[in-house]
Amino acid sequence: FWGDQHCHTEISVDAGTICRLGQEDAYRFARGEEVTSTTGVRAKLSRPLDWLVIADHAEMYGLMPHLLAGDPNLISSDPGKRWYKELTSGDNERAFAVTMEIVAALSKPEAPFDTGKLVRDAWKRYTALADRYNEPGRFSAIIGYEYTTRGGFKLHRNVLFRGDATVANQTVPFSQYDSQNPEDLWRALDAFRQKTGAEVLAIPHNGNLSNGLMFAIETNDGKPYTRELAALRASLEPIVETTQIKGDGESHPLLSPNDEFAAYELWDKANLDGTVVKQPGMLQYEYTREALKNGLALEKQLGVNPFKVGMAGGTDAHTALPCVEENNFFGKHPGVEPAPDRWKHVVIKSPQDPNLTTHGWQMAAGGYTAVWATENTREAIFDAIMRKETYASTGPRMTVRLFGGWEFTPSDAQGRHPARLGYDKGVPMGGDLSAPPAGKKSPTFLVAAMKDPYSGNLDRIQIIKGWMDAEGNTHEKVYDVVWGGDRKPGPDGKLPAVGNTVDVANATWTNTIGAPELIAVWTDPAFDPEESAFYYARVIEIPTPRWTAYEAKRYGVEMPDEVPVVTQERAYTSPIWYAP
């Protein structure tokens, strides 16, 4: 089931400065209905989503519609009066300046208003709306919000509830005004679980912009992780948002120099708002693959792996429109919805250095989360996320399976229903391999992928292995497992590129290279039963036009050389782990 666990509407204080679509608009759009965007464009998904989390910011939740309506309780205060005046002035520069001030307020430990009642009322309206749009079997409106802390350092989490409004209304969104320490969020969520018996989880996102904080191997106050804290994090954060509009966070070429596909949609110059320049030593605590490796080391020390996470994608769209295919990308916020010059608009302006300012063309059209669940209900999707049976896509809805075990044989790749054999003989993505049976020397993996019918053929399936040796050092290796065409690896073991059929001028391509589906059984050739390891699949498409190519064609724009116009979309499965 395809969905987005990270969509914002006018209820979020930052989005609400310019977005005029509400939570009901987001539900209608996700379910396949036509809406009109903030900029007046009629929009409708060709393929509805199966589920959606409207994750509006907890901080000042629901403030902006009241402020813009001139609520006397808000504009009687100095900041409220000034914000209202600037946002309704009709002067775009003044409105942009105060928008940046409002965004900066999300970095401060105290709220500029007393919004307690406003937040409670807005939360109850949202949970009631979610229940109304939730339709088991057809569409799951999963209740959630975003905890937004430390501003530009992006230690943010999307909090999801398993239950309905009667469950979610037993609390209100925990915000950074309660605490800027994510560990306090975990404690609050755990206390909620203990008190109510309800189930809740959190999904970190944009570790790539955290400047080394998201997957740090120490606590918020610089102390070593304890077993208890590691266990608490592991119990609440089963997956991580690895790809989205603000960059891809799977891997980085400085961390994975032998990975030719590592430099994908990187945002790696600074933290989110450009106030702190990125230093190389920060990267190892920002990217998901490195976190998975560091988790093996922490598990050896603590007995618990706090970074035992699966993969998710999310849009983080602040437009209420979760659409991220390259040919229908509506951008980060309404200021960069489709327009002839949006590629050069400022998305994020750095106050420190103009070279750190982020422009429209740097937005990545991604991503979605695929969940293997038993049915399309809130409960089944939540449960699948908890067991990490998920994968992230940068946009295309390709079908991907990964199973690990000890009994798969090459003939298993000949079947048309790989999941039947997969569940029977092994464990799915997100699972743990048991100890090797007598006589079995290496684990085997059944991996399969089928193309999105609206997107490109498949270039290859890779399996990424990470492991820790006896000395406690971590390693990684990328294996090409199966690929399209009659290519053969060279003497260096490297598989030749699939080719490129993209016609940039016309924003099109031909599926005359690659393969519509790929399936194989792979055996780890370098397995050591004494070493902890993880394995996940990465599926790469053939080159297709990037959204910037569609934009150039649509509006007759000539893109500068620095703007990428071709992409190779991909999916990342949750890992399968092995422990001695």
Side-chain angles (χ1 to χ4, degrees):
F1 296 108
W2 287 96
D4 181 15
Q5 45 77 39
H6 196 176
C7 181
H8 293 270
T9 73
E10 65 177 358
I11 294 300
S12 289
V13 68
D14 55 352
T17 60
I18 51 177
C19 178
R20 297 297 171 262
L21 270 64
Q23 294 170 329
E24 187 162 10
D25 296 305
Y27 281 137
R28 290 179 53 233
F29 180 77
R31 284 167 55 104
E33 298 179 41
E34 181 181 296
V35 302
T36 301
S37 78
T38 297
T39 57
V41 179
R42 294 166 58 197
K44 180 179 179 179
L45 283 175
S46 62
R47 292 177 289 176
L49 295 177
D50 299 309
W51 58 275
L52 178 68
V53 182
I54 297 177
D56 281 314
H57 294 292
E59 293 69 24
M60 296 180 279
Y61 191 96
L63 169 80
M64 203 53 64
H66 288 268
L67 179 68
L68 294 175
D71 186 329
N73 293 321
L74 296 174
I75 63 174
S76 60
S77 67
D78 287 340
K81 182 178 181 179
R82 185 164 46 80
W83 288 6
Y84 173 76
K85 180 180 178 181
E86 298 300 319
L87 290 171
T88 59
S89 67
D91 186 317
N92 290 336
E93 288 191 9
R94 289 166 58 187
F96 183 78
V98 81
T99 296
M100 292 298 99
E101 181 183 333
I102 292 169
V103 171
L106 296 176
S107 304
K108 298 176 181 177
E110 295 182 359
F113 305 96
D114 179 6
T115 58
K117 183 178 185 305
L118 188 150
V119 169
R120 287 193 299 274
D121 291 346
W123 178 246
K124 288 181 178 179
R125 285 193 297 272
Y126 161 57
T127 59
L129 184 72
D131 279 2
R132 182 152 62 88
Y133 273 87
N134 188 63
E135 188 177 343
R138 179 190 173 196
F139 181 81
S140 294
I142 299 172
I143 295 172
Y145 66 86
E146 179 179 331
Y147 166 72
T148 311
T149 188
R150 302 285 295 276
F153 292 99
K154 297 299 291 183
L155 292 179
H156 306 180
R157 267 85 173 164
N158 299 331
V159 176
L160 278 59
F161 295 81
R162 187 177 188 268
D164 60 12
T166 63
V167 172
N169 286 346
Q170 295 180 62
T171 186
V172 292
F174 186 93
S175 81
Q176 70 153 3
Y177 304 136
D178 297 303
S179 173
Q180 289 191 307
N181 183 352
E183 296 158 23
D184 289 333
L185 169 69
W186 304 335
R187 295 183 182 104
L189 295 179
D190 186 49
F192 173 77
R193 292 190 303 192
Q194 300 298 328
K195 178 181 178 180
T196 66
E199 296 182 62
V200 64
L201 62 85
I203 303 175
H205 63 86
N206 278 123
N208 61 314
L209 297 174
S210 70
N211 276 27
L213 297 178
M214 180 61 79
F215 300 113
I217 57 174
E218 57 188 22
T219 65
N220 189 70
D221 56 3
K223 297 178 180 178
Y225 252 90
T226 63
R227 178 185 175 90
E228 291 73 24
L229 188 64
L232 181 60
R233 180 170 187 165
S235 74
L236 283 162
E237 298 191 351
I239 62 175
V240 60
E241 183 181 289
T242 295
T243 191
Q244 65 133 256
I245 289 173
K246 298 195 299 293
D248 190 87
E250 185 236 354
S251 58
H252 191 283
L254 291 181
L255 300 172
S256 304
N258 297 320
D259 182 355
E260 62 185 304
F261 292 100
Y264 183 74
E265 297 288 355
L266 295 178
W267 282 35
D268 61 351
K269 303 302 181 187
N271 61 343
L272 175 62
D273 54 12
T275 54
V276 179
V277 177
K278 189 85 67 184
Q279 302 299 324
M282 299 173 177
L283 295 173
Q284 63 182 311
Y285 306 117
E286 298 184 345
Y287 287 81
T288 303
R289 187 188 301 176
E290 204 68 17
L292 292 167
K293 290 158 60 179
N294 288 335
L296 299 179
L298 284 171
E299 184 174 31
K300 184 174 183 180
Q301 298 172 24
L302 304 172
V304 177
N305 183 349
F307 304 146
K308 193 174 181 179
V309 291
M311 303 286 196
T315 67
D316 197 12
H318 282 53
T319 59
L321 304 174
C323 47
V324 294
E325 294 286 9
E326 303 293 332
N327 64 353
N328 70 0
F329 178 46
F330 264 71
K332 171 66 177 172
H333 57 70
V336 284
E337 286 186 6
D341 58 352
R342 74 157 162 172
W343 62 271
K344 59 183 178 182
H345 281 189
V346 171
V347 179
I348 301 168
K349 186 175 183 179
S350 169
Q352 303 292 104
D353 183 348
N355 292 324
L356 301 178
T357 292
T358 305
H359 294 94
W361 65 265
Q362 294 170 280
M363 294 184 293
Y368 284 142
T369 300
V371 175
W372 287 111
T374 55
E375 59 185 3
N376 188 356
T377 63
R378 285 167 165 168
E379 297 80 8
I381 290 173
F382 186 99
D383 294 346
I385 292 173
M386 285 301 298
R387 65 176 182 266
K388 309 177 184 70
E389 202 166 351
T390 65
Y391 62 97
S393 168
T394 59
R397 302 190 197 184
M398 59 183 83
T399 305
V400 184
R401 285 289 198 180
L402 174 66
F403 295 93
W406 305 95
E407 307 288 346
F408 292 113
T409 63
S411 64
D412 292 334
Q414 305 304 312
R416 299 305 303 157
H417 298 282
R420 292 181 181 175
L421 281 170
Y423 287 112
D424 186 48
K425 299 174 71 172
V427 297
M429 58 184 78
D432 292 277
L433 288 172
S434 60
K440 300 296 181 181
K441 296 182 178 180
S442 293
T444 55
F445 296 85
L446 175 62
V447 62
M450 187 163 57
K451 74 180 291 292
D452 180 333
Y454 288 94
S455 194
N457 274 346
L458 306 179
D459 169 2
R460 67 188 77 188
I461 300 177
Q462 301 174 311
I463 285 184
I464 288 86
K465 177 187 177 182
W467 72 97
M468 186 176 64
D469 63 27
E471 286 72 42
N473 301 311
T474 59
H475 309 268
E476 66 173 61
K477 187 172 178 61
V478 179
Y479 292 92
D480 291 313
V481 173
V482 59
W483 50 88
D486 57 0
R487 294 172 287 167
K488 298 186 185 304
D492 59 356
K494 185 176 178 180
L495 185 69
V498 70
N500 187 349
T501 67
V502 176
D503 177 351
V504 173
N506 292 299
T508 189
W509 79 99
T510 61
N511 274 326
T512 52
I513 56 176
E517 62 177 54
L518 295 169
I519 184 169
V521 169
W522 177 79
T523 301
D524 182 357
F527 179 70
D528 184 335
E530 300 303 318
E531 296 177 343
S532 296
F534 63 82
Y535 305 82
Y536 68 89
R538 181 171 64 183
V539 185
I540 308 286
E541 280 190 356
I542 67 170
T544 52
R546 193 174 182 266
W547 71 266
T548 43
Y550 287 104
E551 206 93 321
K553 169 65 175 176
R554 184 176 294 129
Y555 295 113
V557 174
E558 184 174 347
M559 294 289 174
D561 290 342
E562 66 175 343
V563 177
V565 290
V566 176
T567 185
Q568 278 193 269
E569 305 239 51
R570 55 203 61 195
Y572 314 119
T573 74
S574 294
I576 292 172
W577 285 267
Y578 168 78

PDB file of all heavy atoms in Angstrom, residues 339-355:
ATOM      1  N   ALA A 339       5.799  26.726 -12.217  1.00  0.00           N
ATOM      2  CA  ALA A 339       5.829  28.074 -12.805  1.00  0.00           C
ATOM      3  C   ALA A 339       7.074  28.169 -13.683  1.00  0.00           C
ATOM      4  O   ALA A 339       8.034  27.430 -13.475  1.00  0.00           O
ATOM      5  CB  ALA A 339       5.859  29.148 -11.719  1.00  0.00           C
ATOM      6  N   PRO A 340       7.085  29.075 -14.668  1.00  0.00           N
ATOM      7  CA  PRO A 340       8.215  29.139 -15.594  1.00  0.00           C
ATOM      8  C   PRO A 340       9.570  29.369 -14.934  1.00  0.00           C
ATOM      9  O   PRO A 340      10.592  28.929 -15.454  1.00  0.00           O
ATOM     10  CB  PRO A 340       7.842  30.316 -16.506  1.00  0.00           C
ATOM     11  CG  PRO A 340       6.359  30.385 -16.445  1.00  0.00           C
ATOM     12  CD  PRO A 340       5.991  29.987 -15.052  1.00  0.00           C
ATOM     13  N   ASP A 341       9.581  30.064 -13.803  1.00  0.00           N
ATOM     14  CA  ASP A 341      10.876  30.400 -13.202  1.00  0.00           C
ATOM     15  C   ASP A 341      11.074  29.804 -11.810  1.00  0.00           C
ATOM     16  O   ASP A 341      11.956  30.224 -11.076  1.00  0.00           O
ATOM     17  CB  ASP A 341      11.039  31.922 -13.133  1.00  0.00           C
ATOM     18  CG  ASP A 341       9.920  32.590 -12.338  1.00  0.00           C
ATOM     19  OD1 ASP A 341       8.951  31.890 -11.975  1.00  0.00           O
ATOM     20  OD2 ASP A 341      10.014  33.802 -12.088  1.00  0.00           O
ATOM     21  N   ARG A 342      10.283  28.794 -11.440  1.00  0.00           N
ATOM     22  CA  ARG A 342      10.432  28.282 -10.071  1.00  0.00           C
ATOM     23  C   ARG A 342      11.772  27.609  -9.847  1.00  0.00           C
ATOM     24  O   ARG A 342      12.230  27.496  -8.709  1.00  0.00           O
ATOM     25  CB  ARG A 342       9.299  27.327  -9.721  1.00  0.00           C
ATOM     26  CG  ARG A 342       9.367  25.961 -10.373  1.00  0.00           C
ATOM     27  CD  ARG A 342       8.568  24.949  -9.552  1.00  0.00           C
ATOM     28  NE  ARG A 342       8.241  23.755 -10.322  1.00  0.00           N
ATOM     29  CZ  ARG A 342       7.689  22.680  -9.787  1.00  0.00           C
ATOM     30  NH1 ARG A 342       7.399  22.647  -8.510  1.00  0.00           N
ATOM     31  NH2 ARG A 342       7.409  21.626 -10.540  1.00  0.00           N
ATOM     32  N   TRP A 343      12.409  27.140 -10.905  1.00  0.00           N
ATOM     33  CA  TRP A 343      13.693  26.466 -10.758  1.00  0.00           C
ATOM     34  C   TRP A 343      14.750  27.383 -10.136  1.00  0.00           C
ATOM     35  O   TRP A 343      15.703  26.914  -9.506  1.00  0.00           O
ATOM     36  CB  TRP A 343      14.188  25.939 -12.106  1.00  0.00           C
ATOM     37  CG  TRP A 343      14.421  27.024 -13.127  1.00  0.00           C
ATOM     38  CD1 TRP A 343      13.518  27.536 -14.005  1.00  0.00           C
ATOM     39  CD2 TRP A 343      15.640  27.739 -13.366  1.00  0.00           C
ATOM     40  NE1 TRP A 343      14.079  28.529 -14.768  1.00  0.00           N
ATOM     41  CE2 TRP A 343      15.389  28.670 -14.402  1.00  0.00           C
ATOM     42  CE3 TRP A 343      16.915  27.679 -12.801  1.00  0.00           C
ATOM     43  CZ2 TRP A 343      16.364  29.538 -14.877  1.00  0.00           C
ATOM     44  CZ3 TRP A 343      17.894  28.539 -13.281  1.00  0.00           C
ATOM     45  CH2 TRP A 343      17.611  29.452 -14.316  1.00  0.00           C
ATOM     46  N   LYS A 344      14.582  28.712 -10.289  1.00  0.00           N
ATOM     47  CA  LYS A 344      15.587  29.626  -9.736  1.00  0.00           C
ATOM     48  C   LYS A 344      15.097  30.376  -8.499  1.00  0.00           C
ATOM     49  O   LYS A 344      15.834  31.169  -7.918  1.00  0.00           O
ATOM     50  CB  LYS A 344      16.033  30.630 -10.798  1.00  0.00           C
ATOM     51  CG  LYS A 344      14.927  31.497 -11.384  1.00  0.00           C
ATOM     52  CD  LYS A 344      15.497  32.390 -12.486  1.00  0.00           C
ATOM     53  CE  LYS A 344      14.403  33.236 -13.146  1.00  0.00           C
ATOM     54  NZ  LYS A 344      14.932  34.054 -14.244  1.00  0.00           N
ATOM     55  N   HIS A 345      13.858  30.135  -8.079  1.00  0.00           N
ATOM     56  CA  HIS A 345      13.364  30.764  -6.860  1.00  0.00           C
ATOM     57  C   HIS A 345      14.152  30.294  -5.646  1.00  0.00           C
ATOM     58  O   HIS A 345      14.716  29.200  -5.632  1.00  0.00           O
ATOM     59  CB  HIS A 345      11.886  30.426  -6.653  1.00  0.00           C
ATOM     60  CG  HIS A 345      10.976  31.261  -7.505  1.00  0.00           C
ATOM     61  ND1 HIS A 345       9.609  31.262  -7.357  1.00  0.00           N
ATOM     62  CD2 HIS A 345      11.226  32.121  -8.519  1.00  0.00           C
ATOM     63  CE1 HIS A 345       9.060  32.073  -8.243  1.00  0.00           C
ATOM     64  NE2 HIS A 345      10.021  32.593  -8.959  1.00  0.00           N
ATOM     65  N   VAL A 346      14.173  31.126  -4.631  1.00  0.00           N
ATOM     66  CA  VAL A 346      14.818  30.764  -3.371  1.00  0.00           C
ATOM     67  C   VAL A 346      13.857  29.904  -2.554  1.00  0.00           C
ATOM     68  O   VAL A 346      12.730  30.309  -2.280  1.00  0.00           O
ATOM     69  CB  VAL A 346      15.216  32.012  -2.574  1.00  0.00           C
ATOM     70  CG1 VAL A 346      15.692  31.623  -1.177  1.00  0.00           C
ATOM     71  CG2 VAL A 346      16.310  32.774  -3.315  1.00  0.00           C
ATOM     72  N   VAL A 347      14.298  28.698  -2.201  1.00  0.00           N
ATOM     73  CA  VAL A 347      13.519  27.832  -1.325  1.00  0.00           C
ATOM     74  C   VAL A 347      13.905  28.099   0.126  1.00  0.00           C
ATOM     75  O   VAL A 347      13.053  28.246   0.993  1.00  0.00           O
ATOM     76  CB  VAL A 347      13.742  26.344  -1.666  1.00  0.00           C
ATOM     77  CG1 VAL A 347      12.942  25.448  -0.746  1.00  0.00           C
ATOM     78  CG2 VAL A 347      13.359  26.081  -3.116  1.00  0.00           C
ATOM     79  N   ILE A 348      15.208  28.162   0.394  1.00  0.00           N
ATOM     80  CA  ILE A 348      15.716  28.459   1.727  1.00  0.00           C
ATOM     81  C   ILE A 348      16.862  29.460   1.575  1.00  0.00           C
ATOM     82  O   ILE A 348      17.811  29.213   0.831  1.00  0.00           O
ATOM     83  CB  ILE A 348      16.216  27.193   2.441  1.00  0.00           C
ATOM     84  CG1 ILE A 348      15.085  26.167   2.565  1.00  0.00           C
ATOM     85  CG2 ILE A 348      16.769  27.531   3.816  1.00  0.00           C
ATOM     86  CD1 ILE A 348      15.554  24.793   2.989  1.00  0.00           C
ATOM     87  N   LYS A 349      16.770  30.581   2.257  1.00  0.00           N
ATOM     88  CA  LYS A 349      17.791  31.630   2.156  1.00  0.00           C
ATOM     89  C   LYS A 349      18.699  31.590   3.368  1.00  0.00           C
ATOM     90  O   LYS A 349      18.243  31.732   4.504  1.00  0.00           O
ATOM     91  CB  LYS A 349      17.131  33.003   2.034  1.00  0.00           C
ATOM     92  CG  LYS A 349      18.111  34.133   1.776  1.00  0.00           C
ATOM     93  CD  LYS A 349      17.381  35.445   1.546  1.00  0.00           C
ATOM     94  CE  LYS A 349      18.359  36.567   1.224  1.00  0.00           C
ATOM     95  NZ  LYS A 349      17.641  37.854   0.978  1.00  0.00           N
ATOM     96  N   SER A 350      19.988  31.398   3.130  1.00  0.00           N
ATOM     97  CA  SER A 350      20.948  31.363   4.222  1.00  0.00           C
ATOM     98  C   SER A 350      21.290  32.783   4.667  1.00  0.00           C
ATOM     99  O   SER A 350      21.637  33.631   3.840  1.00  0.00           O
ATOM    100  CB  SER A 350      22.232  30.654   3.793  1.00  0.00           C
ATOM    101  OG  SER A 350      23.249  30.837   4.762  1.00  0.00           O
ATOM    102  N   PRO A 351      21.221  33.049   5.967  1.00  0.00           N
ATOM    103  CA  PRO A 351      21.622  34.372   6.459  1.00  0.00           C
ATOM    104  C   PRO A 351      23.138  34.520   6.559  1.00  0.00           C
ATOM    105  O   PRO A 351      23.641  35.619   6.765  1.00  0.00           O
ATOM    106  CB  PRO A 351      20.970  34.422   7.849  1.00  0.00           C
ATOM    107  CG  PRO A 351      20.929  33.000   8.290  1.00  0.00           C
ATOM    108  CD  PRO A 351      20.704  32.188   7.048  1.00  0.00           C
ATOM    109  N   GLN A 352      23.858  33.407   6.409  1.00  0.00           N
ATOM    110  CA  GLN A 352      25.301  33.403   6.604  1.00  0.00           C
ATOM    111  C   GLN A 352      26.084  33.597   5.307  1.00  0.00           C
ATOM    112  O   GLN A 352      27.061  34.328   5.257  1.00  0.00           O
ATOM    113  CB  GLN A 352      25.739  32.086   7.245  1.00  0.00           C
ATOM    114  CG  GLN A 352      25.072  31.769   8.566  1.00  0.00           C
ATOM    115  CD  GLN A 352      25.493  32.725   9.661  1.00  0.00           C
ATOM    116  OE1 GLN A 352      24.741  33.609  10.017  1.00  0.00           O
ATOM    117  NE2 GLN A 352      26.692  32.566  10.154  1.00  0.00           N
ATOM    118  N   ASP A 353      25.632  32.889   4.254  1.00  0.00           N
ATOM    119  CA  ASP A 353      26.431  32.816   3.037  1.00  0.00           C
ATOM    120  C   ASP A 353      25.504  32.589   1.850  1.00  0.00           C
ATOM    121  O   ASP A 353      24.780  31.595   1.811  1.00  0.00           O
ATOM    122  CB  ASP A 353      27.430  31.653   3.162  1.00  0.00           C
ATOM    123  CG  ASP A 353      28.372  31.535   1.975  1.00  0.00           C
ATOM    124  OD1 ASP A 353      28.131  32.200   0.953  1.00  0.00           O
ATOM    125  OD2 ASP A 353      29.338  30.761   2.072  1.00  0.00           O
ATOM    126  N   PRO A 354      25.505  33.488   0.861  1.00  0.00           N
ATOM    127  CA  PRO A 354      24.636  33.289  -0.303  1.00  0.00           C
ATOM    128  C   PRO A 354      24.918  31.999  -1.048  1.00  0.00           C
ATOM    129  O   PRO A 354      24.046  31.462  -1.738  1.00  0.00           O
ATOM    130  CB  PRO A 354      24.915  34.519  -1.182  1.00  0.00           C
ATOM    131  CG  PRO A 354      26.195  35.089  -0.677  1.00  0.00           C
ATOM    132  CD  PRO A 354      26.270  34.734   0.773  1.00  0.00           C
ATOM    133  N   ASN A 355      26.136  31.445  -0.903  1.00  0.00           N
ATOM    134  CA  ASN A 355      26.452  30.174  -1.555  1.00  0.00           C
ATOM    135  C   ASN A 355      25.717  28.996  -0.918  1.00  0.00           C
ATOM    136  O   ASN A 355      25.681  27.906  -1.480  1.00  0.00           O
ATOM    137  CB  ASN A 355      27.962  29.916  -1.512  1.00  0.00           C
ATOM    138  CG  ASN A 355      28.745  30.894  -2.379  1.00  0.00           C
ATOM    139  OD1 ASN A 355      28.284  31.284  -3.437  1.00  0.00           O
ATOM    140  ND2 ASN A 355      29.912  31.296  -1.916  1.00  0.00           N
TER     141      ASN A 355
END
